[in-house]
Amino acid sequence: MPAHVLILGGTTEARRLAADLAARPGIRVTTSLAGRVARPGAVAGEVRIGGFGGAQGLADWLRTQHVDALVDATHPFAEAITANAAHAAAATGVPLVVLRRPGWRPGPGDRWYDVPSLAGAAEALPGLGRRVFLSTGRLGLAVFAHLTDLHFVVRSVDPPEPPMPPDTELVLARGPFTVADETELLRAHRIEVLVTKDSGGEATAAKLTAARELGLPVVVVRRPPLAQGVTAVSGVAGVREWLGISPE
């Protein structure tokens, strides 16, 4: 059983994992948060805020804090952090596992358009609708800034920083949201097309159900692939098994 587990957090699964491990005697749990959200939710165990200074900084922290296992439970689109984790683990010999919820897949009645990036989403939008619900977070809005003929509704926990599309309406809110919530938002803003990242999980899936029921097209930015050789599991139970910890 590992004595010190570092969780690269920021997701619901990371909080659940921290709570599970912190309740077990003999395990020190530290969750690292990037600090991009002003008021993050409560996390069990120790918490550190801010970056490490790249892969080398993370490797140094793993050594000085005597970390026995590293869990990357960041957002599926946190490419830089995930790459740094892989490099730091390789440099230090600290075992690494990536906790990733399964990606979304379309069902009957869905009108999904898969794209590989935010730039691909921006390219696809003009032919799909003028009023856009941009549910991709507050980062990366500059990619859509040149689309001056479209009206964007952007929802995020904290206000985004420019550049962003000139015709942007901001909605500050923290989920989870119900299907009724999302349906009301889409109707109230007369949304014609939804853009979302393939975050996976149930916490943010209600908007997809609402879009299906309203017959709206959805542009889905697919998540980047993991580095070759990196072990990935889909839930807290998978991390426990990887760590060699019994459920009870």
Side-chain angles (χ1 to χ4, degrees):
M1 181 179 294
H4 188 190
V5 178
L6 174 62
I7 302 172
L8 305 179
T11 61
T12 301
E13 289 78 13
R15 289 193 295 273
R16 290 173 179 167
L17 177 62
D20 183 285
L21 297 181
R24 299 173 184 274
I27 299 181
R28 176 188 173 194
V29 181
T30 303
T31 297
S32 177
L33 302 175
R36 290 175 178 162
V37 177
R39 298 185 303 278
V43 180
E46 302 175 29
V47 177
R48 69 174 301 280
I49 304 292
F52 292 93
Q56 184 59 55
L58 176 55
D60 292 342
W61 202 92
L62 295 176
R63 293 189 186 99
T64 59
Q65 297 298 316
H66 306 290
V67 173
D68 300 294
L70 175 60
V71 181
D72 175 7
T74 57
H75 193 277
F77 286 83
E79 296 179 70
I81 300 174
T82 295
N84 287 343
H87 289 304
T92 59
V94 173
L96 166 68
V97 68
V98 176
L99 173 54
R100 285 287 185 274
R101 66 191 81 151
W104 289 319
R105 292 294 177 266
D110 283 323
R111 296 170 56 200
W112 287 15
Y113 298 83
D114 287 353
V115 294
S117 63
L118 288 176
E123 185 177 348
L125 276 178
L128 296 176
R130 184 185 177 279
R131 300 184 65 84
V132 184
F133 179 29
L134 191 57
S135 179
T136 57
R138 64 189 181 92
L139 303 178
L141 299 184
V143 174
F144 302 90
H146 66 287
L147 297 174
T148 57
D149 293 335
L150 304 184
H151 174 79
F152 289 89
V153 175
V154 174
R155 182 172 67 196
S156 66
V157 176
D158 296 314
E161 296 181 359
M164 64 183 72
D167 188 0
T168 295
E169 185 176 354
L170 183 61
V171 176
L172 295 180
R174 185 191 297 270
F177 304 99
T178 66
V179 174
D181 294 333
E182 302 292 51
T183 300
E184 173 60 24
L185 183 146
L186 295 175
R187 283 177 170 161
H189 293 277
R190 295 178 287 120
I191 297 300
E192 298 172 358
V193 56
L194 164 67
V195 180
T196 184
K197 290 179 177 179
D198 178 20
S199 301
E202 296 298 322
T204 57
K207 60 193 171 189
L208 301 175
T209 302
R212 180 190 311 125
E213 293 178 352
L214 294 174
L216 300 181
V218 180
V219 178
V220 181
V221 182
R222 287 303 179 186
R223 57 182 63 175
L226 292 173
Q228 189 173 7
V230 173
T231 299
V233 297
S234 60
V236 171
V239 176
R240 278 201 310 261
E241 182 178 354
W242 179 80
L243 291 171
I245 300 173
S246 61
E248 299 295 338

